[in-house]
Amino acid sequence: MSRVVIAPDSFKGTANAADAAAAIARGWHSVRADDELVARPMADGGEGTLDAFEAAVPGARRMPITVRGPVSSPVVTHWLLLPDGTGVVELAATSGITLLDPLAPLDAHSAGFGEAIADALDTGVERLLLALGGSASTDGGAGALSVLGARFLDADQATVQLGNRGLGALAGVDLTGLRPLPRGGALILGDVTNPLLGERGAAAVFGPQKGADAATVAVLDANLARLARLVADIDSETPGAGAAGGTGFALLVWGAAMGGGAELVADALGLERDIADADLVITGEGRFDGQSEAGKAPSEVARLAASRGVPVALVAGAITAEPRGFAASVDLTVLAGGSEPAMADPLRWLEAAGAQLAAETEAETQGETEAETQGVGPS
């Protein structure tokens, strides 16, 4: 009997982390029914971070709130109050891309995220964990900071409109009214290390995912550069400044510290303890690509597994980069015969992936047993 830890991130827009873990487990047990499976849904600061903390921290309490969504339509959501007085606020739950249809690359904003932060401050939290990722906007976090007391002004000293489009008219930034951080400070749970500007910046890398064509990406980047010039005390090249459409930059301006989202979530889950006694770890996410090694959940799970000498397998909706460090991998797009069927019924294909990995493990185990029976082994 083997012990298998299943610790995927969410498959964004198709399956949350808990459902993904359960589907993989069902598939595994369909082949190897006697194995012990431990589900540890993961997150890296993006969608699902609140769920991961709620599951991991006894006594965590949901704090309901209605905020302005990415284009100002009301969104009923919540943040999380932990027993030690920490508030966990997730951008994806307030200003996330899954809350918006159709996409609005120039006009989506982060004001709702700021409203949830303000509500946590009003509640009297001791410190804040601010989960970035899955954003709909590329507004440099100006929407969030405006709620917290910053003023973004045009040449006539009028407030510019929310969203990146408004940054095009930006002539001055007044930060004197910003609310103070809570006593214990604020820590950014980031899932990327991109800078604010340039070819690796928020607009160039993530703008297309938010509906921006090449011409719009150029506008987004130019408007972010205008913001950065007017807030010269923070280096726009800081790793993570480009997270969540530049909201990482805004939070650094506020005084928050940059942290690793996946690492902190894994610590809260006690994942390293679970992995220590495992025979195999399975992790995954919706898309494994060039960004996945930069602080995403699968890379953190793989790091912890490697530190304990435990093999790790990857399941992803699509794999577009070499999955280095993984003993096995399953691409759901390949398994389903295309991206459309994979996305139409992700739980079915996640279950199939679990069964495939179990079958491969079963075959390896049988091969080892036969080799021992025949007296064949390492010399």
Side-chain angles (χ1 to χ4, degrees):
M1 184 178 78
S2 297
R3 187 172 193 266
V4 182
V5 173
I6 304 174
D9 195 355
S10 64
F11 285 61
K12 291 180 176 58
T14 59
N16 64 39
D19 288 344
I24 293 169
R26 287 194 302 273
W28 185 280
H29 264 160
S30 72
V31 177
R32 293 174 60 94
D34 294 334
D35 285 349
E36 178 188 0
L37 304 184
V38 179
R40 289 291 181 265
M42 267 290 289
D44 53 21
E47 180 186 1
T49 298
L50 289 180
D51 293 339
F53 271 95
E54 187 174 16
V57 181
R61 185 156 53 104
R62 291 190 176 198
M63 307 296 288
I65 185 175
T66 299
V67 302
R68 283 176 287 173
V71 290
S72 296
S73 300
V75 170
V76 178
T77 185
H78 67 278
W79 56 276
L80 209 60
L81 180 61
L82 305 186
D84 66 355
T86 296
V88 187
V89 185
E90 179 187 298
L91 185 143
T94 56
S95 307
I97 194 168
T98 60
L99 303 173
L100 187 59
D101 186 17
L103 300 175
L106 284 166
D107 297 310
H109 58 74
S110 58
F113 183 50
E115 289 169 348
I117 293 171
D119 191 66
L121 293 173
D122 291 343
T123 302
V125 295
E126 290 292 318
R127 71 168 182 147
L128 284 166
L129 298 179
L130 302 173
L132 301 190
S135 70
S137 65
T138 312
D139 72 342
L145 285 191
S146 67
V147 174
L148 296 173
R151 299 174 68 215
F152 298 89
L153 307 170
D154 64 18
D156 296 323
Q157 297 298 292
T159 300
V160 302
Q161 72 182 76
L162 291 170
N164 183 283
R165 192 189 304 274
L167 299 181
L170 194 63
V173 179
D174 179 3
L175 302 176
T176 57
L178 268 177
R179 298 183 63 166
L181 296 169
R183 183 168 55 185
L187 183 64
I188 301 165
L189 307 186
D191 64 348
V192 299
T193 58
N194 301 71
L196 181 66
L197 305 173
E199 63 182 16
R200 293 188 58 251
V205 175
F206 305 112
Q209 301 170 10
K210 302 173 185 183
D213 59 19
T216 304
V217 165
V219 173
L220 295 173
D221 192 60
N223 290 346
L224 289 177
R226 179 187 291 266
L227 172 65
R229 285 195 299 271
L230 293 169
V231 188
D233 55 331
I234 295 296
D235 186 355
S236 63
E237 291 295 313
T238 302
T247 304
F249 175 78
L251 294 179
L252 291 170
V253 169
W254 188 34
M258 189 65 69
E263 182 179 356
L264 288 166
V265 173
D267 184 62
L269 290 172
L271 188 59
E272 185 172 12
R273 179 189 63 243
D274 292 321
I275 286 175
D277 298 326
D279 297 294
L280 176 69
V281 178
I282 302 173
T283 187
E285 62 180 342
R287 184 179 183 85
F288 186 87
D289 56 23
Q291 295 295 319
S292 296
E293 293 183 353
K296 297 284 190 176
S299 64
E300 175 62 17
V301 174
R303 185 189 69 81
L304 290 174
S307 72
R308 293 290 187 167
V310 178
V312 58
L314 172 71
V315 176
I319 299 176
T320 61
E322 181 66 27
R324 293 175 295 186
F326 293 94
S329 62
V330 181
D331 184 325
L332 299 189
T333 297
V334 174
L335 192 63
S339 59
E340 286 190 12
M343 294 183 69
D345 195 356
L347 298 184
R348 172 192 172 187
W349 297 109
L350 283 162
E351 188 169 333
Q356 179 174 313
L357 290 172
E360 291 172 0
T361 300
E362 184 75 11
E364 290 173 4
T365 301
Q366 289 178 355
E368 291 169 0
T369 301
E370 290 173 3
E372 291 173 2
T373 301
Q374 297 170 10
V376 178
S379 58

